[in-house]
Amino acid sequence: MMNQKLESWADCMNVHGNEECENRHTSITGAPIACVDGMAGEYECQNIDLISFISHPEMTGDPRTVGNDMWGWEDPITGNEYAIVCQSDGTTFVDVTDPINPQIVGRLPSTNINHNAWRDAKVYRDHVYIIAEATDHGMQVFDLHRLRGLEQTTPIRIFDETFWYTEFGSCHNIAINEASGYAYAIGSRTCNFGPHVVDLRDPSRPVFSHCFADDGYTHDSECVIYSGPDTRFTGHEICFHYNEDTLTIVDHTDEHPVMISRLPYAGAAYTHQGWIRDGMDYLLLDDEADERRGNTPDGRTRSHIWDIRNLAAPANIGVYDSSEVSIDHNQYIRGKYTYMSNYEAGLRILDITDIANANLTEVAYFDFRPNSNELEFNGVWSSYNYFTSGVVVSNSIERGLFVLRINLPDILD
């Protein structure tokens, strides 16, 4: 999968040249651009306005920088909202409290001097934990209180990490159960490429807890203190692991994890990521390769719908096929909506109210890559949709940070 992505980005350079693939785009601040008649400036849209945009070179000073994953943090004292923008050469912190005029308050460079296309970050107790698919990178820990009261400077402020965890080097992804204080480093070269579990309960001094090595490589995970309908596991630390060709559910309540179930599904090509509904009864799963391998109609984006009311016997009850030709990547559910970051098709928001009947309805979208919907790994990587304000931020690989307003009811539920 990684080689396919690198080839796709090289193809982008060959076809589109520097203008699209080296992030030479002008930032947009000072006034929002409303979505009118299906367009917000040059961007196709429905029910989503463009509030502002900051290019990667403006955030880093380097035209080679590309974006990847992202997360967010809300200061519990001031209420300020910050986008945590992962990039090929480090992580940029952007205060989006005034979404029309976002402020670049600083950067944390990578521990590895080389540019790298894969970086991820998650937050626990006002600290961010950052990993990268880079030799000897380890996990950077940064105390987010250090952002409080800061404004943008020229040149951009450079931070150092609060702590550097080195029990692994290269790592593909990280998941954190904020309810328990455990992080799951995913796809490291430890634990048979399975979850390398880290105790974060002292947030600035994480320590190794345990491995889960019984199902090989894990690509992504979501872990919760379970409160769903399967009462056998109430109060347990349950993880939903996305393991290349299966949904694997594991009880991580203690340091000796127990696999509850391991389910393949029809048309599996590369089980990538997913998210559970608030009631912990249904789950949406992204397969990052089924479109390219011809497993979906005309290459249209497919999401797999699961009934997980019985953790020992989850059932794939249907699929949602988008009208768009694109690869899906990351999605996160908030209330009645799932926010899908689908590469060249952009951010797609679906109403999941009728998920029990495998019926999803697209209600909004914003396309970050105008005039291109192909089965390539370009466009949007990920979005963060949990700010109290309802503002959504998205990280475009080629372009930069987009700050968006969603014009839908009940988005704060």
Side-chain angles (χ1 to χ4, degrees), residues 192-326:
N192 192 30
F193 297 92
H196 174 119
V197 186
V198 184
D199 185 342
L200 307 181
R201 288 175 295 179
D202 181 352
S204 62
R205 291 293 183 271
V207 295
F208 173 72
S209 174
H210 64 277
C211 284
F212 176 70
D214 293 348
D215 196 31
Y217 179 82
T218 297
H219 193 83
D220 209 337
S221 300
E222 181 186 6
C223 300
V224 298
I225 299 299
Y226 186 75
S227 59
D230 194 339
T231 56
R232 295 171 296 175
F233 299 99
T234 298
H236 289 221
E237 177 126 354
I238 302 298
C239 290
F240 301 85
H241 296 306
Y242 302 92
N243 285 17
E244 295 192 296
D245 57 1
T246 65
L247 169 64
T248 301
I249 302 176
V250 177
D251 188 337
H252 280 271
T253 303
D254 59 32
E255 296 183 358
H256 303 284
V258 176
M259 188 187 302
I260 302 171
S261 57
R262 180 183 186 275
L263 271 296
Y265 54 94
Y270 195 88
T271 309
H272 178 264
Q273 188 261 359
W275 210 250
I276 61 173
R277 194 169 74 154
D278 289 347
M280 300 186 185
D281 50 0
Y282 293 91
L283 174 151
L284 291 174
L285 180 151
D286 306 320
D287 189 305
E288 198 180 9
D290 52 0
E291 297 89 1
R292 276 189 138 206
R293 294 189 186 176
N295 296 349
T296 72
D298 304 317
R300 290 185 286 133
T301 311
R302 170 167 288 181
S303 300
H304 297 263
I305 305 167
W306 291 77
D307 180 339
I308 55 169
R309 289 176 293 175
N310 182 344
L311 295 182
N316 185 193
I317 61 172
V319 298
Y320 167 80
D321 287 329
S322 170
S323 61
E324 302 299 308
V325 174
S326 183

Side-chain angles (χ1 to χ4, degrees), residues 28 32-45 48 50 366 370:
I28 300 169
I33 302 175
C35 178
V36 178
D37 296 329
M39 300 295 293
E42 66 175 308
Y43 301 101
E44 295 180 10
C45 59
I48 301 179
L50 173 59
F366 193 96

Side-chain angles (χ1 to χ4, degrees), residues 165-207:
Y165 179 88
T166 58
E167 293 296 315
F168 56 80
S170 175
C171 182
H172 187 77
N173 219 325
I174 185 169
I176 294 178
N177 184 353
E178 295 182 47
S180 67
Y182 284 90
Y184 295 77
I186 308 301
S188 76
R189 304 306 186 263
T190 64
C191 301
N192 192 30
F193 297 92
H196 174 119
V197 186
V198 184
D199 185 342
L200 307 181
R201 288 175 295 179
D202 181 352
S204 62
R205 291 293 183 271
V207 295

